[in-house]
Amino acid sequence: MMAGPRTHRAAATVVAGAALLAGCSDGKPSAAPELPASTCFGAFTPTELAPFVGTGKEVRVDAPADARLTAGRDSAICNIYVDGKTRFFASAERLPQGQHFFWAPAVDEQKPEPLPFAENGKLWDGGAAIFLSCKGPTEAFELKLWLDGSTEQIEQKERRPLFAGLMKKYLDFARQQTGCGA
């Protein structure tokens, strides 16, 4: 389902209120839990991430407040959990200039296609990733952006367009947050 590195660093945890159960006495699944107003560093709205949430009792967002990266803070990770299971993952990682990035074999197995707005980006049914060179205010660096999520509840034909739209927005947001191109 999900590919890519998942390293945990100190992060603020936000727990959204539990959703009301819809007809729990007759065995129907619970309603979709509500996301907080600001999710994943403030990059996405609850409406944009709602397709990944699905049903459940409780949603938890584990992420720092922003994605500002420096030589001293080289990554920012956001996980959105529903009932303890990851439903959406976003990361930004700052790497030394010239460091190469190798695509995970799990990505290549999903028949990725290039992202039309990023020279070194890939898009697949379960996510999108971009690796780009940046000229920061004081030094050059490489930036890796990664999005993936649980897509069982999303129609096949909607998955890639959904990830492409989220990645375009995330790329613009991350460039500003990280000083890429400043």
Side-chain angles (χ1 to χ4, degrees):
M1 172 179 71
M2 301 210 191
R6 294 212 167 80
T7 57
H8 284 281
R9 302 212 185 247
T13 301
V14 178
V15 178
L20 297 174
L21 293 177
C24 67
S25 63
D26 61 3
K28 291 182 182 176
S30 56
E34 289 187 40
L35 287 165
S38 177
T39 55
C40 292
F41 330 115
F44 305 109
T45 67
T47 302
E48 291 168 329
L49 298 181
F52 300 100
V53 175
T55 60
K57 295 178 185 176
E58 182 180 72
V59 65
R60 181 171 57 99
V61 177
D62 187 11
D66 60 50
R68 289 187 176 92
L69 303 180
T70 63
R73 180 183 176 207
D74 64 357
S75 68
I77 295 171
C78 172
N79 273 299
I80 297 178
Y81 302 97
V82 176
D83 297 340
K85 295 179 183 173
T86 301
R87 296 284 177 91
F88 185 79
F89 172 83
S91 70
E93 186 175 3
R94 180 184 165 129
L95 304 165
Q97 182 181 20
Q99 184 168 340
H100 297 285
F101 174 70
F102 299 98
W103 296 102
V107 170
D108 289 329
E109 291 169 8
Q110 295 187 50
K111 299 178 178 122
E113 61 189 67
L115 281 165
F117 52 84
E119 185 177 321
N120 194 8
K122 289 189 178 187
L123 173 67
W124 60 97
D125 286 349
I130 294 176
F131 188 74
L132 63 147
S133 296
C134 299
K135 292 183 178 158
T138 59
E139 64 184 324
F141 59 95
E142 308 296 334
L143 181 63
K144 180 176 69 169
L145 302 176
W146 194 282
L147 299 176
D148 64 26
S150 174
T151 58
E152 295 87 28
Q153 64 279 0
I154 303 169
E155 286 189 42
Q156 179 78 32
K157 66 182 179 186
E158 296 174 1
R159 293 175 185 173
R160 290 185 188 214
L162 176 62
F163 279 112
L166 288 173
M167 183 54 87
K168 183 155 182 47
K169 181 177 181 182
Y170 190 45
L171 175 61
D172 294 339
F173 174 84
R175 279 187 167 147
Q176 184 272 326
Q177 288 271 297
T178 64
C180 180

